[in-house]
Amino acid sequence: YQRRVLFFFFFFFQAEDGIRDAQESRGLGDVYKRQVSTQSTGLKRHSTMSDEGGEHLLNVSGDDQSQHHGGIASWDELRKRTKRESGLSNDHRDSDLHDHDRWSEYSHPMGRMEKDGQFLIPCEFYQRMPRWKKGCCVTLVVVLIGILVMIPVTFAVIIPDMINDAVKHSTTVLVRAVMSDPNADTNTVRMKTTLQLNNAGGVSATIGAFRVQIYAAEGVDFGEVDIPQITVDANTPANISIDDTMLVTNATYFAKATARVLVGPCDADDNTGCSWHVKGRPKVTIHLLGIPLSYHADFKGEIPLPLTQLAEAQASETELISGNETHLIAEATTTFFSQSLLELHNLGSMVFEIKLPRTGVPGAGVVLGRAYLENFHVYRGYNKFERVRTILQKTADNTDLIDDLLSEISKGNDYPVMLSGPVAGSPLFLRGTVDQALVMKGVNPLRAAPIRHSLITVREAQGYAMGGGACSLVANSDCVRGSVDLLNNPMKFANITFRDLKLHVFLKDKIEYTFQHNLLQKDAINCSTSEFVKQYTRPGMYVDDPSREDILLVPNETANVFTPAGPFTKTPESEKCTFLGVGSPYSCCFTSRQVASACRAKKQGKWSFDTYMNGTVTLIVGNFTAALKVSQPSISVYFENDFLYNFEPILGKGLITCDNIKGINW
């Protein structure tokens, strides 16, 4: 124990003595350095610690006292001097100098010198470190260099690419869209649209307000509109509400794109879909570790617009108003149904052409006239326009088609046409955007029956002479025979005139019987037919105005009109039902047919029998004329009781009665 105390006492004071000069003490190595330096004059040595904490001595004087290593004292020489001059025990010296055996290099304040004479870059602190610390330092330096490189790359390349990729893969879904208030002076139309933005990425962001260009399948810009600021939450759909005026920059392509939405086709296979596309360059702001970062991104979106073709579009309750030589003016109630998310509001007055479509050629056809709609709109759901003014215009190409249209409507049949346009009354950029199928509904069954019923009386059946008075019994005399028809004008505003009437009336139930008359037809003849009579207009049908040969019907009124009648075809002279030139100017079967039909009905307990008719008539409204084909599926024919006994009376008794009708089918 005492020996140890002495050792530490000696060591302490030796070390203390060695560090009293101006240079900072560096431990045992400095003590050795100073002791050796004082004993060896002419040598100037400096030391630094080795990697293992040892000391390296370097002779920088070049004195010839050191013969080893080119002026550098060898370790053997230093060891000997240290043993001789230190005064330490051999054990301690051997223990202390044992660490020096591991020294392989000499130190200098300005750097390091290897044993082979190579001078290293100054890094005294680094050279003192253990190897594991050196590895940590190298790793840290590499990491710091990587961070310094990656930070600008991340901010300048990676984040913008991520934002552009998120914008590129985002999708939009149309929730509702309204186009309204087109302005021809400024070439603008109001857009009020709600979109849903999906798949915008996993990072919350704010997309600043920006202006987009709008284009369709052709790729040509036709409009511009401002998109408001959009707030996007991570992995959450965002709603975009647009309420702005769209500037139409290309009227031709805007009309094409709008027409495709309103009419079709929307075939994605041939790149003619109804979608509109938008492109712009918005400023996108994200927050990274609370720091706002803003970048410009290329935005290209698709707005899928559904086909707005209208369903169940029809014009009904047609009313004729007036006419002149070439134009017929009418009104109708137009209705249609729309399921589209796109609505059109306040488009103003528009004029559409009424066309008869040509098969296989969209938009082509023969123009029949025009329809005038006030404040046209398309709402989602049911749409109704009251009293739409329609004007049919006759030309050399469409006269027959207009006749067919009016014929079918008057018979209660539907007639398909096409609304095409607008052709007037709208901004140019909306012209020609619609080709909509439209059904013009036939008048209802009650209005489609101009002949409410017919009445056979003895007086009208026997007829009267052209100059007045009863018909002569001479078969060849000019006698006007017929029945009384109750006619109705289905229109509310216009007078209707029928001229050149030719109606073929048929029995609904075919009649078969045998006719025999002792004077007119001694031999019984068999009659079997469905033909009843042919009705027509002719001069003399009005006793007080023999030259008149038309039928005038005033609005919303019915009138009893005497209508001449006869057989379907002219009767040959040889077939007339006469005896010595006296009798009927027609065949015996035709002369007896009305009586036979009445007798059958009477036998069945009825005072009427059913007929139907078809034929032609010239319709006149004002000065407008149309040749119509008409038909009526049911007409009830009533008869007087006297008609069964007093038709063609001779000597106070009817010439033809039910007694002359035998074997009638019931």
Side-chain angles (χ1 to χ4, degrees), residues 207-221:
I207 303 175
F210 64 107
R211 193 165 185 83
V212 297
Q213 289 73 44
I214 306 174
Y215 61 97
E218 296 83 1
V220 179
D221 296 350

Side-chain angles (χ1 to χ4, degrees), residues 107 307 441 531 535-536:
S107 300
L307 180 64
K441 303 292 289 184
E531 295 179 358
Q535 292 186 310
Y536 50 89

Side-chain angles (χ1 to χ4, degrees), residues 34-164:
R34 284 164 175 73
Q35 290 175 348
V36 172
S37 298
T38 56
Q39 295 295 327
S40 302
T41 61
L43 287 175
K44 296 181 181 180
R45 293 181 176 86
H46 301 275
S47 66
T48 60
M49 298 301 294
S50 71
D51 293 345
E52 274 68 21
E55 185 183 47
H56 305 281
L57 300 179
L58 178 64
N59 184 350
V60 296
S61 66
D63 295 342
D64 58 359
Q65 296 179 6
S66 298
Q67 301 298 324
H68 304 284
H69 304 288
I72 302 175
S74 68
W75 283 115
D76 292 338
E77 182 182 350
L78 290 173
R79 189 178 289 121
K80 291 177 182 180
R81 292 178 182 178
T82 304
K83 288 180 180 180
R84 186 172 56 249
E85 299 172 1
S86 64
L88 295 175
S89 66
N90 291 334
D91 293 339
H92 287 168
R93 286 194 301 269
D94 292 341
S95 175
D96 293 336
L97 293 176
H98 176 72
D99 292 334
H100 292 293
D101 291 338
R102 296 181 289 110
W103 299 350
S104 60
E105 54 198 11
Y106 298 98
S107 300
H108 184 271
M110 298 301 294
R112 293 176 57 83
M113 181 69 73
E114 299 283 356
K115 286 183 178 182
D116 58 0
Q118 182 179 2
F119 190 76
L120 303 181
I121 299 174
C123 187
E124 184 176 354
F125 179 76
Y126 173 76
Q127 296 297 338
R128 292 183 183 183
M129 289 184 179
R131 291 180 179 177
W132 69 270
K133 288 186 177 181
K134 291 179 180 179
C136 292
C137 287
V138 172
T139 303
L140 180 60
V141 170
V142 172
V143 171
L144 290 175
I145 293 174
I147 292 175
L148 292 176
V149 172
M150 288 303 297
I151 286 177
V153 171
T154 299
F155 284 92
V157 179
I158 297 177
I159 293 178
D161 285 349
M162 292 175 59
I163 292 175
N164 275 309

Side-chain angles (χ1 to χ4, degrees), residues 380-623:
R380 190 177 185 187
Y382 182 72
N383 295 262
K384 184 176 182 180
F385 296 87
E386 300 279 0
R387 301 187 68 176
V388 175
R389 179 62 60 94
T390 301
I391 300 179
L392 301 179
Q393 181 177 3
K394 286 198 299 185
T395 65
D397 297 329
N398 69 8
T399 299
D400 293 341
L401 298 175
I402 291 178
D403 292 345
D404 290 341
L405 167 63
L406 296 175
S407 296
E408 294 302 315
I409 293 176
S410 67
K411 290 187 288 187
N413 298 330
D414 297 342
Y415 196 84
V417 295
M418 182 75 70
L419 277 185
S420 181
V423 295
S426 65
L428 290 176
F429 57 80
L430 286 177
R431 299 284 176 88
T433 56
V434 174
D435 275 314
Q436 175 63 48
L438 177 72
V439 175
M440 300 193 73
K441 303 292 289 184
V443 298
N444 62 49
L446 183 61
R447 299 177 68 196
I451 305 176
R452 294 297 177 85
H453 59 259
S454 184
L455 175 64
I456 301 176
T457 64
V458 173
R459 179 176 179 272
E460 276 71 26
Q462 293 179 166
Y464 54 87
M466 279 290 294
C471 287
S472 170
L473 293 177
V474 178
N476 291 328
S477 62
D478 188 7
C479 190
V480 183
R481 295 179 173 87
S483 61
V484 177
D485 292 334
L486 184 63
L487 302 181
N488 172 64
N489 180 356
M491 298 295 113
K492 298 179 180 179
F493 307 109
N495 291 336
I496 290 179
T497 300
F498 293 144
R499 192 174 63 195
D500 302 325
L501 181 70
K502 296 180 180 64
L503 305 179
H504 294 85
V505 183
F506 297 84
L507 293 168
K508 280 192 173 182
D509 297 324
K510 183 178 180 180
I511 191 167
E512 297 177 354
Y513 61 94
T514 300
F515 175 73
Q516 184 179 14
H517 193 280
N518 292 330
L519 181 61
L520 301 176
Q521 185 67 47
K522 292 182 179 180
D523 298 328
I525 59 173
N526 296 321
C527 300
S528 177
T529 186
S530 295
E531 295 179 358
F532 187 56
V533 295
K534 175 183 176 181
Q535 292 186 310
Y536 50 89
T537 54
R538 55 158 291 180
M541 58 185 295
Y542 296 98
V543 176
D544 55 350
D545 189 358
S547 62
R548 182 181 172 187
E549 51 180 325
D550 57 30
I551 300 173
L552 174 64
L553 301 176
V554 297
N556 287 324
E557 290 189 12
T558 57
N560 292 321
V561 178
F562 171 70
T563 307
F568 279 25
T569 59
K570 187 176 180 180
T571 306
E573 192 68 29
S574 59
E575 295 181 9
K576 292 181 178 179
C577 192
T578 62
F579 175 72
L580 299 177
V582 177
S584 172
Y586 313 118
S587 68
C588 289
C589 281
F590 178 78
T591 302
S592 61
R593 190 175 303 158
Q594 298 181 62
V595 176
S597 299
C599 293
R600 182 173 66 172
K602 182 66 178 296
K603 187 73 173 180
Q604 295 171 343
K606 299 186 296 184
W607 291 97
S608 67
F609 52 90
D610 294 329
T611 63
Y612 66 93
M613 69 85 176
N614 56 53
T616 61
V617 66
T618 298
L619 172 71
I620 302 174
V621 179
N623 292 322

Side-chain angles (χ1 to χ4, degrees), residues 160-367:
D161 285 349
M162 292 175 59
I163 292 175
N164 275 309
D165 187 67
V167 172
K168 177 180 178 181
H169 290 88
S170 63
T171 58
T172 52
V173 177
L174 180 67
V175 178
R176 184 171 181 265
V178 176
M179 292 175 56
S180 63
D181 304 306
N183 190 313
D185 296 330
T186 59
N187 264 16
T188 58
V189 62
R190 192 74 182 175
M191 292 285 292
K192 190 172 184 179
T193 306
T194 301
L195 301 171
Q196 187 179 79
L197 182 67
N198 298 317
N199 304 321
V203 179
S204 298
T206 300
I207 303 175
F210 64 107
R211 193 165 185 83
V212 297
Q213 289 73 44
I214 306 174
Y215 61 97
E218 296 83 1
V220 179
D221 296 350
F222 60 76
E224 295 180 355
V225 69
D226 289 327
I227 304 294
Q229 177 176 295
I230 307 169
T231 301
V232 180
D233 295 328
N235 300 314
T236 303
N239 290 328
I240 306 174
S241 296
I242 303 172
D243 189 358
D244 192 37
T245 298
M246 183 180 77
L247 174 65
V248 178
T249 57
N250 190 313
T252 301
Y253 280 91
F254 177 82
K256 287 183 178 180
T258 306
R260 191 174 295 124
V261 174
L262 297 178
V263 180
C266 290
D267 190 355
D269 295 335
D270 60 2
N271 199 31
T272 58
C274 288
S275 297
W276 287 5
H277 304 267
V278 295
K279 60 183 179 181
R281 190 167 174 78
K283 185 177 182 181
V284 181
T285 301
I286 63 173
H287 288 78
L288 186 62
L289 301 177
I291 302 173
L293 304 174
S294 297
Y295 301 90
H296 282 90
D298 292 324
F299 178 79
K300 290 186 177 181
E302 179 181 4
I303 304 176
L305 297 175
L307 180 64
T308 317
Q309 195 165 21
L310 310 179
E312 301 178 12
Q314 60 185 29
S316 59
E317 302 176 7
T318 302
E319 292 287 344
L320 302 182
I321 305 299
S322 62
N324 55 34
E325 287 78 3
T326 57
H327 294 77
L328 176 64
I329 302 174
E331 290 180 350
T333 299
T334 302
T335 59
F336 55 81
F337 188 83
S338 173
Q339 292 181 320
S340 176
L341 298 176
L342 175 63
E343 296 186 4
L344 307 175
H345 294 184
N346 303 325
L347 298 187
S349 299
M350 291 190 174
V351 182
F352 295 89
E353 287 183 334
I354 303 173
K355 293 182 178 179
L356 186 65
R358 186 173 297 169
T359 305
V361 185
V366 180
V367 178

